[in-house]
Amino acid sequence: MQDAINPSFEDRVLAQVELLGAGLPLEAFDVCFSASGLMFANDVLFASSAEEGRKKQEPFISAATSIHGLITDLRIHVASETCVFRNKSSFGTGVGATHQIDGLCWQKWIDGRISEERYYDGRLMCKMIADGILSAPEELKPSG
């Protein structure tokens, strides 16, 4: 652990996870994502910048009447500045329905910001977990 003025990589990841767990995904995004960061969904490019990524995510997050953040299985690999975690958060809607997330999030950080984020769900998430990504986040092998 370093200090509040110069937090370590691990401290930055933990701060992000704390915001996500508190149901504040846009705040976590704004604090942690690099302006030129790339986002992938199941190894398909989703956004080529933070601005594009936020514009695509904001309408869904802003429409939620409640967000219950739940981040599990966090693994941090300090030497490669990579991390991986499961996102099992849920979102309430205005009509009383709940949308449950079950995804795997892998991140590469550079200079204290997320430079690449890969989100996996469904069959591809299960394959990534079976291939050991949760025990070795530094060994990501995208399928795309």
Side-chain angles (χ1 to χ4, degrees):
M1 185 180 291
Q2 293 180 354
D3 56 46
I5 295 171
N6 188 22
S8 70
F9 164 64
E10 186 173 10
D11 290 338
R12 290 175 191 270
V13 171
L14 293 173
Q16 173 197 216
V17 168
E18 185 175 323
L19 287 169
L20 293 171
L24 301 169
L26 289 178
E27 291 80 349
F29 184 86
D30 291 342
V31 168
C32 300
F33 212 83
S34 170
S36 60
L38 301 174
M39 298 178 79
F40 294 84
N42 288 325
D43 290 332
V44 175
L45 185 64
F46 176 77
S48 59
S49 69
E51 180 181 7
E52 181 183 5
R54 194 178 205 291
K55 280 182 183 177
K56 287 183 172 184
Q57 294 182 66
E58 187 173 19
F60 301 103
I61 294 169
S62 295
T65 56
S66 65
I67 301 174
H68 174 69
L70 179 59
I71 305 301
T72 66
D73 301 313
L74 174 64
R75 302 295 185 276
I76 299 171
H77 190 263
V78 174
S80 66
E81 290 195 331
T82 57
C83 69
V84 65
F85 55 84
R86 293 283 299 271
N87 185 346
K88 297 181 178 183
S89 300
S90 59
F91 295 80
T93 67
V95 295
T98 300
H99 176 69
Q100 180 68 50
I101 293 174
D102 185 10
L104 178 79
C105 187
W106 177 90
Q107 298 173 335
K108 170 66 180 164
W109 293 58
I110 296 176
D111 296 327
R113 297 274 182 155
I114 300 164
S115 65
E116 181 179 340
E117 179 175 276
R118 291 179 178 266
Y119 181 81
Y120 299 96
D121 61 8
R123 184 183 56 74
L124 194 49
M125 175 187 71
C126 293
K127 181 182 181 329
M128 298 296 291
I129 292 170
D131 288 348
I133 194 66
L134 288 174
S135 59
E138 73 281 10
E139 295 183 14
L140 175 73
K141 295 172 185 73
S143 65

